[in-house]
Amino acid sequence: MAGTPAHEPDRVAGITRRAARVLDPTLPVLGVGMKMFHDLTGAREVIEALRTADTTSVASFVLPSFPLIAEALATLQATDTAVGAQDVHWADRGAHTGSVSALLLAELGCDVVEIGHAERRREHNETDEQVAAKVAAAHRHQLLPVLCVGEHEPADPDGAAAVTVAQLERRLAATTEAEPVVVAYEPSWAIGAAAAADTEHIAAVVVELRRVLRRRAPHHRVLYGGSVTPHSAASILACPGIDGLFVGRAAGDADGLAALLDVVRTHPT
Ligand code: PGA
């Protein structure tokens, strides 16, 4: 039942042109996770701000709530900003009330899909096996997965790296090394917190994640997420091994988004 995508994205090696930009090593990435932050007016403000933003030197993506994906795709159709979902089911169809398939997201024209966010794992008890199956579902339908990993409890950098690397190995278990992946390193304790993890901690974990990625998924980018603000963005972007930022609250309105884009746009790659 392969359908025609509603917005006919151009494809590069299977994935959409806008997803391919997220993998472009010359572009810093800004991902916006809208979570369940907004009402309709607030969500439209963020999407409209992305429509008018200068993203020529930034690989941006936005993840609205499911009901607004089609509208975001239409609003952002003429832009470089990729659009995707905050979750996906591992099956292509079936009796899965309340879930959405990668098949449908791809048919709608989505570019990316977020998988395994700490809030989903916590509130919906998602297992690593389910997360791995969701990554495989994304690949089956040429969606670029944004795969979240990160330690649950504060730990020293070595401990955090060990936990996070093991998560990554398990969550990539159902995918082949030909498939691209964006990994978002998001320590759970730094999400929705007062401050981001410090840059030494981030760098120490990310160097180990990259070791796995070189072997398991050579086409990859690595983002940091967790309490990023326009103030902390530049130092995190300058962190060795970090290709971009994945932001929740600080990108939740037009002003915050503009301030973040200003930092990312001027970041030397
Ligand atoms: P936050 O969320 O920026 O609001 O901490 C980040 C995330 O969960 O990706």
Side-chain angles (χ1 to χ4, degrees):
M1 204 165 38
T4 305
H7 301 289
E8 294 288 359
D10 302 327
R11 291 195 171 258
V12 182
I15 61 173
T16 66
R17 180 188 60 80
R18 297 189 301 196
R21 282 185 98 247
V22 179
L23 289 174
D24 180 341
T26 68
L27 296 175
V29 181
L30 179 63
V32 177
M34 294 179 68
K35 307 200 185 192
M36 204 177 73
F37 284 141
H38 304 94
D39 60 11
L40 188 54
T41 305
R44 284 180 170 155
E45 177 188 323
V46 172
I47 293 162
E48 181 60 19
L50 281 164
R51 187 184 69 78
T52 56
D54 173 7
T55 54
T56 43
S57 60
V58 179
S60 47
F61 67 85
V62 63
L63 309 171
S65 294
F66 282 122
L68 289 177
I69 288 175
E71 180 173 323
L73 282 162
T75 303
L76 298 173
Q77 189 179 5
T79 74
D80 282 330
T81 296
V83 176
Q86 300 175 14
D87 181 43
V88 67
H89 199 275
W90 55 84
D92 286 352
R93 54 172 69 79
H96 303 289
T97 302
S99 296
V100 177
S101 68
L103 167 71
L104 185 61
L105 294 175
E107 286 185 329
L108 276 175
C110 282
D111 308 286
V112 301
V113 62
E114 179 180 11
I115 297 174
H117 189 278
E119 287 150 11
R120 298 241 15 124
R121 297 200 311 269
R122 191 175 63 237
E123 295 179 357
H124 302 272
N125 301 315
E126 287 188 9
T127 66
D128 285 336
E129 291 69 29
Q130 289 169 340
V131 170
K134 290 178 178 198
V135 173
H139 286 145
R140 246 186 347 266
H141 295 284
Q142 286 85 44
L143 296 168
L144 178 61
V146 178
L147 171 60
C148 301
V149 295
E151 73 275 15
H152 301 292
E153 305 295 334
D156 64 25
D158 287 349
V163 169
T164 307
V165 160
Q167 288 174 350
L168 184 62
E169 296 267 19
R170 292 194 298 270
R171 293 172 193 177
L172 287 177
T175 201
T176 69
E177 68 169 38
E179 305 287 4
V181 65
V182 175
V183 170
Y185 170 50
E186 304 204 308
S188 301
W189 52 268
I191 295 172
D198 67 53
T199 51
E200 291 77 21
H201 183 97
I202 297 169
V205 174
V206 164
V207 73
E208 298 302 327
L209 291 175
R210 284 196 174 272
R211 226 188 284 283
V212 175
L213 285 167
R214 276 196 296 275
R215 188 165 40 83
R216 297 293 302 264
H219 306 286
H220 63 257
R221 309 293 309 275
V222 178
L223 315 182
Y224 169 81
S227 301
V228 175
T229 63
H231 182 68
S232 62
S235 62
I236 297 170
L237 274 176
C239 202
I242 287 293
D243 298 314
L245 307 171
F246 192 23
V247 187
R249 287 161 299 160
D253 60 29
D255 289 347
L257 189 58
L260 283 159
L261 274 167
D262 277 347
V263 177
V264 179
R265 198 184 290 117
T266 53
H267 177 70
T269 44

PDB file of all heavy atoms in Angstrom, residues 4-34:
ATOM      1  N   THR A   4       1.636   7.930  -2.342  1.00  0.00           N
ATOM      2  CA  THR A   4       2.421   9.052  -2.805  1.00  0.00           C
ATOM      3  C   THR A   4       2.530  10.051  -1.671  1.00  0.00           C
ATOM      4  O   THR A   4       1.520  10.445  -1.107  1.00  0.00           O
ATOM      5  CB  THR A   4       1.712   9.729  -3.994  1.00  0.00           C
ATOM      6  OG1 THR A   4       1.479   8.726  -4.959  1.00  0.00           O
ATOM      7  CG2 THR A   4       2.549  10.829  -4.577  1.00  0.00           C
ATOM      8  N   PRO A   5       3.769  10.432  -1.275  1.00  0.00           N
ATOM      9  CA  PRO A   5       3.874  11.398  -0.196  1.00  0.00           C
ATOM     10  C   PRO A   5       3.096  12.663  -0.545  1.00  0.00           C
ATOM     11  O   PRO A   5       3.101  13.110  -1.683  1.00  0.00           O
ATOM     12  CB  PRO A   5       5.377  11.680  -0.105  1.00  0.00           C
ATOM     13  CG  PRO A   5       6.031  10.513  -0.774  1.00  0.00           C
ATOM     14  CD  PRO A   5       5.063  10.032  -1.798  1.00  0.00           C
ATOM     15  N   ALA A   6       2.443  13.214   0.471  1.00  0.00           N
ATOM     16  CA  ALA A   6       1.615  14.390   0.239  1.00  0.00           C
ATOM     17  C   ALA A   6       2.453  15.555  -0.297  1.00  0.00           C
ATOM     18  O   ALA A   6       1.953  16.402  -1.004  1.00  0.00           O
ATOM     19  CB  ALA A   6       0.933  14.784   1.535  1.00  0.00           C
ATOM     20  N   HIS A   7       3.754  15.583   0.051  1.00  0.00           N
ATOM     21  CA  HIS A   7       4.546  16.761  -0.308  1.00  0.00           C
ATOM     22  C   HIS A   7       5.726  16.423  -1.226  1.00  0.00           C
ATOM     23  O   HIS A   7       6.621  17.241  -1.376  1.00  0.00           O
ATOM     24  CB  HIS A   7       5.000  17.469   0.962  1.00  0.00           C
ATOM     25  CG  HIS A   7       3.833  17.891   1.789  1.00  0.00           C
ATOM     26  ND1 HIS A   7       2.998  18.903   1.411  1.00  0.00           N
ATOM     27  CD2 HIS A   7       3.313  17.375   2.917  1.00  0.00           C
ATOM     28  CE1 HIS A   7       2.026  19.021   2.301  1.00  0.00           C
ATOM     29  NE2 HIS A   7       2.191  18.092   3.224  1.00  0.00           N
ATOM     30  N   GLU A   8       5.746  15.225  -1.777  1.00  0.00           N
ATOM     31  CA  GLU A   8       6.710  14.844  -2.802  1.00  0.00           C
ATOM     32  C   GLU A   8       8.137  15.289  -2.487  1.00  0.00           C
ATOM     33  O   GLU A   8       8.751  16.004  -3.273  1.00  0.00           O
ATOM     34  CB  GLU A   8       6.298  15.469  -4.155  1.00  0.00           C
ATOM     35  CG  GLU A   8       4.998  14.924  -4.721  1.00  0.00           C
ATOM     36  CD  GLU A   8       5.125  13.506  -5.245  1.00  0.00           C
ATOM     37  OE1 GLU A   8       6.231  12.944  -5.182  1.00  0.00           O
ATOM     38  OE2 GLU A   8       4.102  12.968  -5.704  1.00  0.00           O
ATOM     39  N   PRO A   9       8.698  14.912  -1.347  1.00  0.00           N
ATOM     40  CA  PRO A   9      10.075  15.346  -1.082  1.00  0.00           C
ATOM     41  C   PRO A   9      11.049  14.706  -2.064  1.00  0.00           C
ATOM     42  O   PRO A   9      10.858  13.560  -2.460  1.00  0.00           O
ATOM     43  CB  PRO A   9      10.331  14.838   0.344  1.00  0.00           C
ATOM     44  CG  PRO A   9       9.334  13.760   0.569  1.00  0.00           C
ATOM     45  CD  PRO A   9       8.158  14.024  -0.314  1.00  0.00           C
ATOM     46  N   ASP A  10      12.072  15.452  -2.449  1.00  0.00           N
ATOM     47  CA  ASP A  10      13.150  14.860  -3.239  1.00  0.00           C
ATOM     48  C   ASP A  10      13.892  13.919  -2.317  1.00  0.00           C
ATOM     49  O   ASP A  10      14.048  14.203  -1.147  1.00  0.00           O
ATOM     50  CB  ASP A  10      14.143  15.928  -3.699  1.00  0.00           C
ATOM     51  CG  ASP A  10      13.467  17.000  -4.501  1.00  0.00           C
ATOM     52  OD1 ASP A  10      12.508  16.677  -5.208  1.00  0.00           O
ATOM     53  OD2 ASP A  10      13.885  18.153  -4.383  1.00  0.00           O
ATOM     54  N   ARG A  11      14.400  12.819  -2.870  1.00  0.00           N
ATOM     55  CA  ARG A  11      15.096  11.853  -2.008  1.00  0.00           C
ATOM     56  C   ARG A  11      16.563  11.761  -2.368  1.00  0.00           C
ATOM     57  O   ARG A  11      16.935  11.869  -3.523  1.00  0.00           O
ATOM     58  CB  ARG A  11      14.419  10.493  -2.101  1.00  0.00           C
ATOM     59  CG  ARG A  11      13.064  10.589  -1.450  1.00  0.00           C
ATOM     60  CD  ARG A  11      12.412   9.276  -1.144  1.00  0.00           C
ATOM     61  NE  ARG A  11      11.245   9.580  -0.341  1.00  0.00           N
ATOM     62  CZ  ARG A  11      11.178   9.428   0.980  1.00  0.00           C
ATOM     63  NH1 ARG A  11      12.195   8.931   1.638  1.00  0.00           N
ATOM     64  NH2 ARG A  11      10.090   9.755   1.630  1.00  0.00           N
ATOM     65  N   VAL A  12      17.405  11.601  -1.331  1.00  0.00           N
ATOM     66  CA  VAL A  12      18.845  11.432  -1.495  1.00  0.00           C
ATOM     67  C   VAL A  12      19.179  10.111  -0.827  1.00  0.00           C
ATOM     68  O   VAL A  12      19.015   9.994   0.386  1.00  0.00           O
ATOM     69  CB  VAL A  12      19.628  12.571  -0.800  1.00  0.00           C
ATOM     70  CG1 VAL A  12      21.119  12.403  -1.019  1.00  0.00           C
ATOM     71  CG2 VAL A  12      19.143  13.930  -1.253  1.00  0.00           C
ATOM     72  N   ALA A  13      19.624   9.147  -1.602  1.00  0.00           N
ATOM     73  CA  ALA A  13      19.961   7.820  -1.051  1.00  0.00           C
ATOM     74  C   ALA A  13      18.829   7.305  -0.159  1.00  0.00           C
ATOM     75  O   ALA A  13      19.051   6.844   0.956  1.00  0.00           O
ATOM     76  CB  ALA A  13      21.272   7.876  -0.276  1.00  0.00           C
ATOM     77  N   GLY A  14      17.617   7.429  -0.629  1.00  0.00           N
ATOM     78  CA  GLY A  14      16.483   6.893   0.116  1.00  0.00           C
ATOM     79  C   GLY A  14      15.813   7.907   1.021  1.00  0.00           C
ATOM     80  O   GLY A  14      14.613   8.072   0.986  1.00  0.00           O
ATOM     81  N   ILE A  15      16.598   8.624   1.837  1.00  0.00           N
ATOM     82  CA  ILE A  15      15.971   9.572   2.764  1.00  0.00           C
ATOM     83  C   ILE A  15      15.659  10.879   2.038  1.00  0.00           C
ATOM     84  O   ILE A  15      16.131  11.131   0.932  1.00  0.00           O
ATOM     85  CB  ILE A  15      16.860   9.843   4.001  1.00  0.00           C
ATOM     86  CG1 ILE A  15      18.202  10.448   3.605  1.00  0.00           C
ATOM     87  CG2 ILE A  15      17.031   8.584   4.818  1.00  0.00           C
ATOM     88  CD1 ILE A  15      19.031  10.873   4.802  1.00  0.00           C
ATOM     89  N   THR A  16      14.833  11.710   2.672  1.00  0.00           N
ATOM     90  CA  THR A  16      14.438  12.953   2.013  1.00  0.00           C
ATOM     91  C   THR A  16      15.606  13.936   1.956  1.00  0.00           C
ATOM     92  O   THR A  16      16.562  13.838   2.737  1.00  0.00           O
ATOM     93  CB  THR A  16      13.268  13.634   2.752  1.00  0.00           C
ATOM     94  OG1 THR A  16      13.744  14.053   4.030  1.00  0.00           O
ATOM     95  CG2 THR A  16      12.075  12.699   2.914  1.00  0.00           C
ATOM     96  N   ARG A  17      15.499  14.881   1.052  1.00  0.00           N
ATOM     97  CA  ARG A  17      16.538  15.909   0.912  1.00  0.00           C
ATOM     98  C   ARG A  17      16.767  16.644   2.234  1.00  0.00           C
ATOM     99  O   ARG A  17      17.888  16.946   2.626  1.00  0.00           O
ATOM    100  CB  ARG A  17      16.098  16.898  -0.190  1.00  0.00           C
ATOM    101  CG  ARG A  17      17.052  18.036  -0.466  1.00  0.00           C
ATOM    102  CD  ARG A  17      16.450  19.046  -1.426  1.00  0.00           C
ATOM    103  NE  ARG A  17      15.223  19.635  -0.912  1.00  0.00           N
ATOM    104  CZ  ARG A  17      15.169  20.632  -0.011  1.00  0.00           C
ATOM    105  NH1 ARG A  17      16.280  21.139   0.464  1.00  0.00           N
ATOM    106  NH2 ARG A  17      14.007  21.121   0.395  1.00  0.00           N
ATOM    107  N   ARG A  18      15.690  16.921   2.948  1.00  0.00           N
ATOM    108  CA  ARG A  18      15.832  17.662   4.206  1.00  0.00           C
ATOM    109  C   ARG A  18      16.439  16.791   5.307  1.00  0.00           C
ATOM    110  O   ARG A  18      17.186  17.292   6.151  1.00  0.00           O
ATOM    111  CB  ARG A  18      14.486  18.249   4.635  1.00  0.00           C
ATOM    112  CG  ARG A  18      13.991  19.255   3.600  1.00  0.00           C
ATOM    113  CD  ARG A  18      12.794  20.018   4.059  1.00  0.00           C
ATOM    114  NE  ARG A  18      11.651  19.194   4.389  1.00  0.00           N
ATOM    115  CZ  ARG A  18      10.425  19.666   4.515  1.00  0.00           C
ATOM    116  NH1 ARG A  18      10.197  20.956   4.342  1.00  0.00           N
ATOM    117  NH2 ARG A  18       9.435  18.875   4.807  1.00  0.00           N
ATOM    118  N   ALA A  19      16.150  15.513   5.276  1.00  0.00           N
ATOM    119  CA  ALA A  19      16.815  14.610   6.226  1.00  0.00           C
ATOM    120  C   ALA A  19      18.296  14.507   5.881  1.00  0.00           C
ATOM    121  O   ALA A  19      19.158  14.449   6.774  1.00  0.00           O
ATOM    122  CB  ALA A  19      16.151  13.237   6.206  1.00  0.00           C
ATOM    123  N   ALA A  20      18.606  14.488   4.590  1.00  0.00           N
ATOM    124  CA  ALA A  20      20.015  14.409   4.169  1.00  0.00           C
ATOM    125  C   ALA A  20      20.794  15.630   4.649  1.00  0.00           C
ATOM    126  O   ALA A  20      21.978  15.528   4.993  1.00  0.00           O
ATOM    127  CB  ALA A  20      20.098  14.277   2.647  1.00  0.00           C
ATOM    128  N   ARG A  21      20.138  16.788   4.726  1.00  0.00           N
ATOM    129  CA  ARG A  21      20.815  17.984   5.264  1.00  0.00           C
ATOM    130  C   ARG A  21      21.222  17.765   6.716  1.00  0.00           C
ATOM    131  O   ARG A  21      22.263  18.244   7.160  1.00  0.00           O
ATOM    132  CB  ARG A  21      19.912  19.218   5.184  1.00  0.00           C
ATOM    133  CG  ARG A  21      19.828  19.845   3.821  1.00  0.00           C
ATOM    134  CD  ARG A  21      19.005  21.115   3.871  1.00  0.00           C
ATOM    135  NE  ARG A  21      19.819  22.302   3.962  1.00  0.00           N
ATOM    136  CZ  ARG A  21      19.878  23.113   5.005  1.00  0.00           C
ATOM    137  NH1 ARG A  21      19.158  22.882   6.064  1.00  0.00           N
ATOM    138  NH2 ARG A  21      20.645  24.185   4.984  1.00  0.00           N
ATOM    139  N   VAL A  22      20.376  17.057   7.466  1.00  0.00           N
ATOM    140  CA  VAL A  22      20.698  16.818   8.879  1.00  0.00           C
ATOM    141  C   VAL A  22      21.960  15.958   8.992  1.00  0.00           C
ATOM    142  O   VAL A  22      22.705  16.047   9.970  1.00  0.00           O
ATOM    143  CB  VAL A  22      19.492  16.185   9.615  1.00  0.00           C
ATOM    144  CG1 VAL A  22      19.808  15.910  11.076  1.00  0.00           C
ATOM    145  CG2 VAL A  22      18.255  17.090   9.505  1.00  0.00           C
ATOM    146  N   LEU A  23      22.220  15.152   7.978  1.00  0.00           N
ATOM    147  CA  LEU A  23      23.427  14.306   7.983  1.00  0.00           C
ATOM    148  C   LEU A  23      24.644  14.999   7.378  1.00  0.00           C
ATOM    149  O   LEU A  23      25.743  14.452   7.408  1.00  0.00           O
ATOM    150  CB  LEU A  23      23.157  13.021   7.185  1.00  0.00           C
ATOM    151  CG  LEU A  23      22.218  11.998   7.810  1.00  0.00           C
ATOM    152  CD1 LEU A  23      21.953  10.874   6.817  1.00  0.00           C
ATOM    153  CD2 LEU A  23      22.784  11.434   9.109  1.00  0.00           C
ATOM    154  N   ASP A  24      24.453  16.203   6.822  1.00  0.00           N
ATOM    155  CA  ASP A  24      25.540  16.900   6.127  1.00  0.00           C
ATOM    156  C   ASP A  24      26.587  17.365   7.152  1.00  0.00           C
ATOM    157  O   ASP A  24      26.295  18.212   8.001  1.00  0.00           O
ATOM    158  CB  ASP A  24      24.945  18.098   5.375  1.00  0.00           C
ATOM    159  CG  ASP A  24      25.997  18.882   4.608  1.00  0.00           C
ATOM    160  OD1 ASP A  24      27.209  18.751   4.908  1.00  0.00           O
ATOM    161  OD2 ASP A  24      25.606  19.643   3.711  1.00  0.00           O
ATOM    162  N   PRO A  25      27.820  16.823   7.068  1.00  0.00           N
ATOM    163  CA  PRO A  25      28.816  17.148   8.106  1.00  0.00           C
ATOM    164  C   PRO A  25      29.239  18.611   8.111  1.00  0.00           C
ATOM    165  O   PRO A  25      29.893  19.050   9.063  1.00  0.00           O
ATOM    166  CB  PRO A  25      30.001  16.228   7.765  1.00  0.00           C
ATOM    167  CG  PRO A  25      29.795  15.810   6.353  1.00  0.00           C
ATOM    168  CD  PRO A  25      28.328  15.890   6.062  1.00  0.00           C
ATOM    169  N   THR A  26      28.863  19.374   7.089  1.00  0.00           N
ATOM    170  CA  THR A  26      29.271  20.786   7.062  1.00  0.00           C
ATOM    171  C   THR A  26      28.247  21.692   7.755  1.00  0.00           C
ATOM    172  O   THR A  26      28.484  22.893   7.895  1.00  0.00           O
ATOM    173  CB  THR A  26      29.470  21.291   5.619  1.00  0.00           C
ATOM    174  OG1 THR A  26      28.194  21.342   4.960  1.00  0.00           O
ATOM    175  CG2 THR A  26      30.418  20.387   4.842  1.00  0.00           C
ATOM    176  N   LEU A  27      27.115  21.141   8.173  1.00  0.00           N
ATOM    177  CA  LEU A  27      26.060  21.979   8.752  1.00  0.00           C
ATOM    178  C   LEU A  27      25.831  21.646  10.229  1.00  0.00           C
ATOM    179  O   LEU A  27      25.586  20.484  10.567  1.00  0.00           O
ATOM    180  CB  LEU A  27      24.739  21.770   7.999  1.00  0.00           C
ATOM    181  CG  LEU A  27      24.698  22.172   6.537  1.00  0.00           C
ATOM    182  CD1 LEU A  27      23.353  21.783   5.920  1.00  0.00           C
ATOM    183  CD2 LEU A  27      24.938  23.670   6.386  1.00  0.00           C
ATOM    184  N   PRO A  28      25.875  22.642  11.118  1.00  0.00           N
ATOM    185  CA  PRO A  28      25.463  22.385  12.499  1.00  0.00           C
ATOM    186  C   PRO A  28      23.959  22.140  12.550  1.00  0.00           C
ATOM    187  O   PRO A  28      23.202  22.698  11.747  1.00  0.00           O
ATOM    188  CB  PRO A  28      25.843  23.681  13.229  1.00  0.00           C
ATOM    189  CG  PRO A  28      25.845  24.737  12.182  1.00  0.00           C
ATOM    190  CD  PRO A  28      26.215  24.060  10.876  1.00  0.00           C
ATOM    191  N   VAL A  29      23.537  21.311  13.493  1.00  0.00           N
ATOM    192  CA  VAL A  29      22.135  20.890  13.555  1.00  0.00           C
ATOM    193  C   VAL A  29      21.421  21.607  14.713  1.00  0.00           C
ATOM    194  O   VAL A  29      21.979  21.744  15.796  1.00  0.00           O
ATOM    195  CB  VAL A  29      22.046  19.361  13.791  1.00  0.00           C
ATOM    196  CG1 VAL A  29      20.586  18.900  13.828  1.00  0.00           C
ATOM    197  CG2 VAL A  29      22.820  18.597  12.721  1.00  0.00           C
ATOM    198  N   LEU A  30      20.192  22.034  14.446  1.00  0.00           N
ATOM    199  CA  LEU A  30      19.301  22.473  15.533  1.00  0.00           C
ATOM    200  C   LEU A  30      17.996  21.687  15.422  1.00  0.00           C
ATOM    201  O   LEU A  30      17.236  21.863  14.463  1.00  0.00           O
ATOM    202  CB  LEU A  30      19.003  23.978  15.451  1.00  0.00           C
ATOM    203  CG  LEU A  30      18.055  24.468  16.560  1.00  0.00           C
ATOM    204  CD1 LEU A  30      18.668  24.292  17.944  1.00  0.00           C
ATOM    205  CD2 LEU A  30      17.638  25.915  16.345  1.00  0.00           C
ATOM    206  N   GLY A  31      17.781  20.802  16.388  1.00  0.00           N
ATOM    207  CA  GLY A  31      16.539  20.041  16.438  1.00  0.00           C
ATOM    208  C   GLY A  31      15.625  20.630  17.503  1.00  0.00           C
ATOM    209  O   GLY A  31      16.093  20.961  18.600  1.00  0.00           O
ATOM    210  N   VAL A  32      14.344  20.751  17.168  1.00  0.00           N
ATOM    211  CA  VAL A  32      13.368  21.323  18.096  1.00  0.00           C
ATOM    212  C   VAL A  32      12.337  20.252  18.442  1.00  0.00           C
ATOM    213  O   VAL A  32      11.576  19.812  17.573  1.00  0.00           O
ATOM    214  CB  VAL A  32      12.666  22.546  17.463  1.00  0.00           C
ATOM    215  CG1 VAL A  32      11.602  23.097  18.413  1.00  0.00           C
ATOM    216  CG2 VAL A  32      13.689  23.619  17.105  1.00  0.00           C
ATOM    217  N   GLY A  33      12.351  19.816  19.702  1.00  0.00           N
ATOM    218  CA  GLY A  33      11.357  18.857  20.178  1.00  0.00           C
ATOM    219  C   GLY A  33      10.232  19.634  20.857  1.00  0.00           C
ATOM    220  O   GLY A  33      10.443  20.245  21.902  1.00  0.00           O
ATOM    221  N   MET A  34       9.062  19.619  20.254  1.00  0.00           N
ATOM    222  CA  MET A  34       7.976  20.459  20.789  1.00  0.00           C
ATOM    223  C   MET A  34       7.229  19.785  21.942  1.00  0.00           C
ATOM    224  O   MET A  34       6.384  20.426  22.581  1.00  0.00           O
ATOM    225  CB  MET A  34       7.027  20.844  19.650  1.00  0.00           C
ATOM    226  CG  MET A  34       7.708  21.746  18.616  1.00  0.00           C
ATOM    227  SD  MET A  34       6.649  22.216  17.231  1.00  0.00           S
ATOM    228  CE  MET A  34       5.453  23.276  18.050  1.00  0.00           C
TER     229      MET A  34
END
